[in-house]
Amino acid sequence: MWSMSSKRRLLVAVGAVLALTGAAACSSSSGGGSGSSGGAAHKKVRLITGVKSDPFYITMTCAAQTEAKAKGMDFQADGSAQWDVSVQRPLLDSVAASRPDGLLISPVDTSALTPSLRQIQSAGTKVALVDTTVSDSSVGITRISSDNEKGGRVAADALAKLMGEKGSAIVISVKPGVSTTDARIKGFTEEMAKYPKITMLKTLYDNDLPATAASQIQSTLAAHPDLGGVFAGNTNTGQGIATGLKQAGKEGKVKVAAFDAEPDEIASLKAGTLQVLVAQDPGAIGREAVDQLAAAFEGKSVQKSIGTNMVAITKANMNDPSVSKYFYKSGC
């Protein structure tokens, strides 16, 4: 049997070795190299986008991937097949099970995914909300998005001018409860109230299905022959509206302001089916999100909220390099 004094001496010796080992580890991880090669390198980071096939999210993913690679991160991305909580939740559960160091996510609902996000966050994953957000302010170390309400106001002013400030106008969007499109509608309808000769019709929702938007705009035209303008809340809606107006023989006659600058929308702008595109900067959203996670990994300050640039694109300015750089990509 060992004496108590022998045990005590052994414990002291072991403690000293552990302390020296820990000090060496700290020294090697925080040495004099650049910040990006310190705490951020080799961190496992995952991105879950809203709709995987959407060029907005493809552009965001490409930029985030490039930025993460430059910082030495282990980066992978996935996204929903459609804008639906029941589709995105399994992706989130799968990522949570892998316990990544960081998660970038565009939640498809402002509240339904909050419990899952709280859980992955409490398990130690640093969460960055990109493009869309949730209502619970405790979720996410950073939130990066466009000023969507301002974008709605920009669209309203542009559309009102094209309409000669008279006639009926309608908003067609995805569904209630999506932070970005809710903000766009809010900004648009509030700004349109400044034009008393324009009558706003009831907002319609197409569940992010272009065919539904096409049918809705045709029904609206039949019920309201004086329809002069349409605001499309997102890309798929804009595509559906363009199709519906073309089928009705009203393209160019009914003015359309749409969000985003995806390849199909750019083609519609050139053809005169869409008149205004309010382009976001999804690449900047992806880069900034990776940068903020890197800052968190390195123990640096993190910006709680970041707004990225937007630009109004028309047929007249679309060939300007300072504008065309905002066009979205269909692949990396």
Side-chain angles (χ1 to χ4, degrees):
M1 297 288 292
W2 288 6
S3 68
M4 288 299 293
S5 60
S6 296
K7 291 180 179 179
R8 191 177 298 111
R9 284 194 297 272
L10 176 62
L11 289 173
V12 169
V14 170
V17 170
L18 291 174
L20 288 171
T21 303
C26 289
S27 175
S28 65
S29 66
S30 60
S34 66
S36 62
S37 62
H42 310 300
K43 292 293 186 181
K44 184 163 70 173
V45 173
R46 300 295 179 258
L47 167 63
I48 300 176
T49 61
V51 179
K52 189 175 183 178
S53 61
D54 188 330
F56 175 91
Y57 288 115
I58 291 172
T59 305
M60 179 193 294
T61 299
C62 293
Q65 179 176 279
T66 299
E67 191 75 357
K69 183 178 179 180
K71 294 180 180 297
M73 294 177 175
D74 171 0
F75 178 88
Q76 292 180 20
D78 202 350
S80 304
Q82 63 190 72
W83 193 273
D84 192 281
V85 170
S86 65
V87 178
Q88 193 176 60
R89 180 174 278 120
L91 296 176
L92 180 57
D93 291 343
S94 177
V95 166
S98 72
R99 300 178 66 87
D101 299 295
L103 170 65
L104 287 67
I105 185 169
S106 307
V108 298
D109 188 274
T110 55
S111 60
L113 294 165
T114 298
S116 297
L117 289 169
R118 283 199 203 110
Q119 187 173 9
I120 191 172
Q121 191 168 259
S122 65
T125 297
K126 298 185 186 302
V127 176
L129 300 180
V130 289
D131 183 39
T132 51
T133 64
V134 295
S135 301
D136 186 344
S137 60
S138 71
V139 174
I141 61 169
T142 186
R143 298 179 175 211
I144 305 169
S145 180
S146 306
D147 185 342
N148 286 285
E149 194 170 317
K150 179 180 178 181
R153 292 194 293 271
V154 168
D157 288 331
L159 191 61
K161 183 177 179 180
L162 290 169
M163 293 172 62
E165 299 186 13
K166 63 180 184 296
S168 295
I170 191 169
V171 175
I172 302 180
S173 192
V174 184
K175 64 176 72 173
V178 179
S179 62
T180 49
T181 49
D182 284 353
R184 294 168 194 173
I185 294 169
K186 181 176 184 291
F188 182 87
T189 53
E190 287 180 356
E191 191 70 12
M192 270 299 191
K194 297 178 181 179
Y195 302 96
K197 293 182 180 179
I198 294 179
T199 301
M200 285 301 304
L201 305 176
K202 182 181 178 180
T203 296
L204 299 178
Y205 295 97
D206 60 15
N207 204 34
D208 205 34
L209 298 172
T212 301
S215 176
Q216 287 172 332
I217 194 63
Q218 290 175 343
S219 298
T220 301
L221 281 166
H224 301 276
D226 70 334
L227 184 70
V230 191
F231 175 48
N234 77 332
T235 301
N236 284 343
T237 298
Q239 291 172 356
I241 289 169
T243 298
L245 290 175
K246 186 174 183 179
Q247 291 172 345
K250 293 287 187 178
E251 60 178 342
K253 297 176 183 177
V254 176
K255 308 303 181 183
V256 184
F259 245 78
D260 297 315
E262 305 199 350
D264 287 346
E265 289 181 301
I266 295 298
S268 294
L269 189 69
K270 288 179 180 177
T273 306
L274 301 177
Q275 282 70 47
V276 180
L277 298 178
V278 180
Q280 304 177 77
D281 194 348
I285 293 174
R287 285 190 299 273
E288 287 282 5
V290 170
D291 288 347
Q292 293 307 307
L293 283 184
F297 295 147
E298 294 160 2
K300 299 176 181 177
S301 62
V302 175
Q303 289 181 256
K304 185 68 177 176
S305 179
I306 298 175
T308 55
N309 289 334
M310 289 186 296
V311 61
I313 304 176
T314 64
K315 196 171 184 177
N317 70 8
M318 65 186 300
N319 294 321
D320 186 327
S322 66
V323 174
S324 61
K325 70 178 183 179
Y326 287 92
F327 293 3
Y328 302 174
K329 300 177 181 179
S330 57
C332 296

